Amino acid sequence: MAAPMLRWGCRGRRWAFARVDGGSCHRRGAPTGSTSNRIRGESSVAQQPLHTAQKTRKGEHKWAAVVGLEIHAQISSNSKLFSGSQVRFSAPPNSLVSFFDASLPGTLPVLNRRCVEAAVMTGLALNCHINKKSLFDRKHYFYADLPAGYQITQQRLPIAVNGSLIYGVCAGKKQSQVIPKTVRIKQIQLEQDSGKSLHDNLRSQTLIDLNRAGVGLLEVVLEPDMSCGEEAATAVRELQLILQALGTSQANMAEGQLRVDANISVHHPGEPLGVRTEVKNLNSIRFLAKAIDYEIQRQINELENGGEILNETRSFHHKLGCTMSMRDKEGKQDYRFMPEPNLPPLVLYDATSLPAGADPQQVINIDQIRETLPELPSVTREKLVQQYGMLLEHSFTLLNEVGLLEFFQNVIKETRAEPKKVTSWVLNTFLGYLKQQNLAVSESPVTPSALAELLDLLDSRTISSSAAKQVMDVKNRNPRAINKLIGLVRKATQSRADPVMIKEILEKKLSL
Amino acid sequence: MWSRLVWLGLRAPLGGQGFTSKADPQGSGRITAAVIEHLERLALVDFGSREAVTRLEKAIAFADRLRAVDTDGVEPMESVLEDRCLYLRSDNVVEGNCADELLQNSHRVVEEYFVAPPGNISLPKLDEQEPFPHS
């Protein structure tokens, strides 16, 4: 055979998304008609009337949306999936790269035990069947941040299959009821992360940092059992909480430790499923819900106007609030899957099949991992309801807000007040203030001890409820409350004291 | 692997199948220009000449002889390593910190980053290419 010559100038599956043409995507509410012009490579989006998928127009059938998710979670481990280089969020470019990660010839993959354990833990927590034998494959595509030209993944026989994730959606009047919903988990597989590309469009080049190349990922595939953005967002949030409780992933979306792609289609109930699109670049739970709802609406509008949906990949642009086509001119990618020839099958054991006299470092016992699983969020919530007599909805809120559960538990520890009182104050007054000032729990000026003290005073009837609320106001630096206090001091000093000095002294005394 | 084939050969009369070759719906192995173009895009190889394509056809015909074996009910073997133990490494950091060495391999470097083309450079279509410039 003639010596194969590598062509320079590769293109891969993913696009260098440089900039967005402002003209091709209208903002919501702009008064345009609902035509769609197919500009090369992009599709312009017309104004989207804000109605939900279920609402009917006169004479039209109802629409049902179907949403599936592919979630990639970075495994929390010291070293990478197949090499001993470090896993760390920020470091000098290419400093956390081994010869294998750079795909130098002669290097071989060596599987990280911790990553396998993380996959088993996650599979068990999600009620999956753990495959005692799983296989590794190569998925080929060309892109500069994938030095080997393929990704090692588990396409044929992944480590875990057929699980379920239960999440709670808020419904009812005042959104106070929690309705449990289930989404089936198709599979969980181990795979490699790719490096990072920085696109320098000015100089027409891409800068590659391989620090992330080879980091272990858990791909969790959720079946299309969800029907709207809110359900998807809630499911992802619950998965985040589970991964964080297990310690298998920090699952921080902002830092790229949790990435979600959505598969969306619409159809009339009773008819076959419609053509689906894939939406990528969803960087937060909030954008995830927005993007999905937008795409559902876009598809409905397109079909109602006699258009058709293309099986394509779209990217969500949060500033414009719309999805845009990332359409590849080459058509569907052929990944040429093949077994990874350098890795034997991954064999896991349980208590009954564990070979006698085996090196404990070289075997993984599923039963042992099951016994040592940390407490899952659903159990934590149940305990809160049992122990403190709170409503299930309250337990959801406590867990959903980062740091709130810990805050709550610290207050409980230090106060004499009744748990129900604490619950009410933390969830209504305290959380209310945080939301108003747009603060995280960690940024709160009120400490658990301070709140505990306040509640003690309230409990012993030393102060009244309204007085307590006023103290919270001051502690939360509500300017009106502080001014009111300054006014009271001025009155007491018969207007002889300088207000600026009063403010300084008060602030010191209150340690604001 | 040869012992397996022999064993299957012996087994065949019992199964009543014998050395049946599964019919190839494509007929004889002529590779079309469209397939060559597809392969060139997928693998970024250059079938530079008519000889190269002929060699590919011969290679496929050679491999096709495997179809002569009756493999009904036999679990495929994916890897000759299937009975080996997959070694599990402890989760310790033992590599990395060699950016300078690695960057030496790169044609172009900008501040400790590898430099690559911007991506999305498509191969020209078949009719835009010169036919077999290397023959």
Side-chain angles (χ1 to χ4, degrees):
Chain A
M1 191 174 287
M5 190 185 86
L6 279 176
R7 284 259 177 86
W8 190 232
C10 335
R11 92 281 170 278
R13 178 172 178 250
R14 284 167 288 151
W15 286 76
F17 224 84
R19 57 187 167 80
V20 171
D21 280 325
S24 57
C25 183
H26 300 282
R27 234 169 283 246
R28 278 195 188 190
T32 55
S34 23
T35 48
S36 47
N37 310 306
R38 288 250 175 297
I39 304 168
R40 187 170 61 105
E42 294 170 354
S43 66
S44 81
V45 172
Q47 184 250 336
Q48 308 280 2
L50 279 162
H51 67 251
T52 65
Q54 316 300 331
K55 216 170 174 189
T56 51
R57 305 227 290 231
K58 36 177 191 179
E60 302 275 352
H61 297 299
K62 265 184 142 164
W63 286 102
V66 162
V67 180
L69 298 177
E70 277 164 31
I71 300 168
H72 290 89
Q74 246 184 29
I75 299 174
S76 182
S77 60
N78 299 324
S79 57
K80 296 183 180 179
L81 182 58
F82 292 116
S83 70
S85 40
Q86 191 181 15
V87 176
R88 224 174 82 192
F89 181 50
S90 66
N94 293 306
S95 61
L96 309 175
V97 184
S98 69
F99 288 0
F100 171 77
D101 303 329
S103 186
L104 297 191
T107 54
L108 293 171
V110 186
L111 184 55
N112 180 340
R113 184 197 165 85
R114 157 66 185 162
C115 293
V116 182
E117 287 171 349
V120 175
M121 283 172 78
T122 308
L124 290 172
L126 295 172
N127 310 305
C128 295
H129 168 77
I130 307 292
N131 281 327
K132 292 231 183 72
K133 180 173 117 164
S134 60
L135 305 168
F136 290 100
D137 303 296
R138 290 187 182 179
K139 177 179 179 180
H140 300 80
Y141 63 91
F142 289 109
Y143 207 70
D145 61 20
L146 195 71
Y150 60 86
Q151 174 199 38
I152 300 179
T153 177
Q154 293 188 299
Q155 190 247 359
R156 288 167 296 155
L157 202 52
I159 190 166
V161 292
N162 298 336
S164 62
L165 169 65
I166 301 170
Y167 60 99
V169 181
C170 291
K173 302 182 220 178
K174 297 190 205 170
Q175 303 283 297
S176 58
Q177 260 186 306
V178 175
I179 300 178
K181 290 197 183 240
T182 307
V183 52
R184 290 166 300 155
I185 300 207
K186 178 158 185 248
Q187 63 193 56
I188 298 176
Q189 62 202 52
L190 281 167
E191 57 183 40
Q192 291 175 305
D193 205 348
S194 66
K196 272 211 181 124
S197 305
L198 299 172
H199 300 292
D200 180 0
N201 295 303
L202 219 60
R203 290 174 200 80
S204 205
Q205 62 190 15
T206 300
L207 304 180
I208 306 293
D209 174 13
L210 296 178
N211 282 349
R212 200 184 65 180
V215 171
L217 292 178
L218 287 175
E219 177 172 337
V220 182
V221 182
L222 301 186
E223 297 275 24
D225 296 341
M226 295 159 285
S227 60
C228 65
E230 194 197 354
E231 287 186 1
T234 314
V236 170
R237 180 78 188 107
E238 185 67 14
L239 181 64
Q240 245 184 348
L241 291 174
I242 291 174
L243 292 171
Q244 287 164 353
L246 292 173
T248 51
S249 171
Q250 289 169 309
N252 183 333
M253 280 185 94
E255 286 185 12
Q257 292 159 339
L258 192 75
R259 286 164 246 157
V260 184
D261 299 333
N263 293 307
I264 302 158
S265 73
V266 297
H267 65 287
H268 295 301
E271 290 181 19
L273 296 183
V275 175
R276 64 175 166 81
T277 62
E278 186 185 9
V279 179
K280 296 175 99 76
N281 192 32
L282 303 167
N283 298 331
S284 73
I285 302 241
R286 205 165 57 94
F287 293 154
L288 171 74
K290 264 182 125 179
I292 289 172
D293 287 335
Y294 174 89
E295 179 62 16
I296 290 171
Q297 202 51 65
R298 183 194 76 85
Q299 289 193 11
I300 291 175
N301 290 347
E302 187 70 35
L303 291 172
E304 282 184 343
N305 288 311
E308 62 167 8
I309 306 299
L310 296 168
N311 176 219
E312 61 181 357
T313 303
R314 301 176 73 86
S315 177
F316 179 64
H317 295 271
H318 62 93
K319 289 212 173 109
L320 300 167
C322 67
T323 62
M324 288 173 67
S325 178
M326 291 166 76
R327 206 170 331 138
D328 195 321
K329 275 189 278 178
E330 311 297 336
K332 227 168 165 217
Q333 268 279 338
D334 179 350
Y335 294 113
R336 297 179 292 150
F337 284 99
M338 65 175 257
E340 169 54 61
N342 294 324
L343 293 170
L346 173 61
V347 176
L348 305 173
Y349 301 94
D350 57 21
T352 51
S353 64
L354 201 60
D359 177 4
Q361 249 298 103
Q362 288 305 313
V363 291
I364 290 187
N365 183 344
I366 300 170
D367 288 334
Q368 188 181 57
I369 293 179
R370 188 185 285 112
E371 282 158 28
T372 54
L373 275 183
E375 185 177 283
L376 293 179
S378 52
V379 175
T380 309
R381 282 187 214 113
E382 262 304 306
K383 282 188 174 173
L384 287 171
V385 169
Q386 300 292 337
Q387 216 172 345
Y388 304 119
M390 67 174 75
L391 296 174
L392 190 62
E393 296 87 84
H394 297 159
S395 69
F396 268 91
T397 313
L398 274 179
L399 261 70
N400 271 343
E401 199 62 39
V402 179
L404 192 59
L405 178 62
E406 203 188 331
F407 187 94
F408 170 83
Q409 283 165 335
N410 287 337
V411 175
I412 289 272
K413 254 190 268 181
E414 297 188 34
T415 188
R416 279 192 326 262
E418 282 238 323
K420 285 199 175 171
K421 231 339 175 254
V422 180
T423 308
S424 171
W425 268 80
V426 168
L427 289 181
N428 297 325
T429 322
F430 177 66
L431 192 59
Y433 278 123
L434 287 183
K435 291 297 172 195
Q436 213 177 53
Q437 321 266 358
N438 203 14
L439 291 172
V441 174
S442 54
E443 298 166 328
S444 158
V446 179
T447 61
S449 316
L451 184 56
E453 210 185 313
L454 187 67
L455 291 174
D456 277 346
L457 291 172
L458 192 59
D459 188 58
S460 59
R461 298 183 197 278
T462 313
I463 58 172
S464 73
S465 180
S466 53
K469 291 229 168 75
Q470 279 182 31
V471 172
M472 281 288 280
D473 266 343
V474 171
K475 263 296 191 175
N476 279 309
R477 302 177 201 227
N478 186 339
R480 258 184 291 153
I482 296 179
N483 289 337
K484 209 175 170 196
L485 207 56
I486 295 175
L488 288 170
V489 174
R490 276 198 87 194
K491 243 210 236 166
T493 62
Q494 291 164 336
S495 301
R496 275 181 282 164
D498 170 24
V500 176
M501 283 237 57
I502 298 175
K503 190 166 190 228
E504 268 180 49
I505 296 171
L506 275 178
E507 282 178 350
K508 231 204 226 151
K509 284 234 162 232
L510 295 166
S511 52
L512 285 178
Chain B
M1 188 174 105
W2 283 112
S3 55
R4 263 202 193 190
L5 281 174
V6 169
W7 183 74
L8 285 167
L10 290 171
R11 223 179 124 261
L14 294 169
Q17 288 270 305
F19 279 125
T20 51
S21 65
K22 296 187 171 117
D24 183 358
Q26 307 267 353
S28 70
R30 289 250 75 199
I31 311 292
T32 64
V35 171
I36 293 293
E37 189 192 350
H38 184 59
L39 286 174
E40 287 189 331
R41 282 172 191 283
L42 276 187
L44 293 185
V45 294
D46 183 11
F47 287 94
S49 65
R50 181 67 234 164
E51 278 91 60
V53 178
T54 310
R55 220 165 286 144
L56 176 63
E57 289 171 351
K58 284 188 180 155
I60 293 172
F62 178 79
D64 262 344
R65 284 158 50 188
L66 283 174
R67 293 175 194 256
V69 179
D70 176 15
T71 55
D72 283 347
V74 179
E75 199 55 42
M77 176 203 252
E78 294 111 0
S79 163
V80 294
L81 299 172
E82 64 180 22
D83 292 329
R84 294 276 213 97
C85 249
L86 176 51
Y87 178 78
L88 295 172
R89 182 178 57 84
S90 299
D91 187 26
N92 299 317
V93 176
V94 294
E95 295 175 285
N97 250 311
C98 52
D100 292 334
E101 271 187 275
L102 292 173
L103 291 167
Q104 276 175 32
N105 280 326
S106 181
H107 178 58
R108 277 176 66 204
V109 159
V110 165
E111 273 178 46
E112 295 177 321
Y113 288 94
F114 294 99
V115 178
N120 306 333
I121 300 173
S122 304
L123 289 176
K125 284 226 159 279
L126 190 64
D127 44 13
E128 291 165 16
Q129 295 171 11
E130 284 171 36
F132 301 129
H134 304 284
S135 53

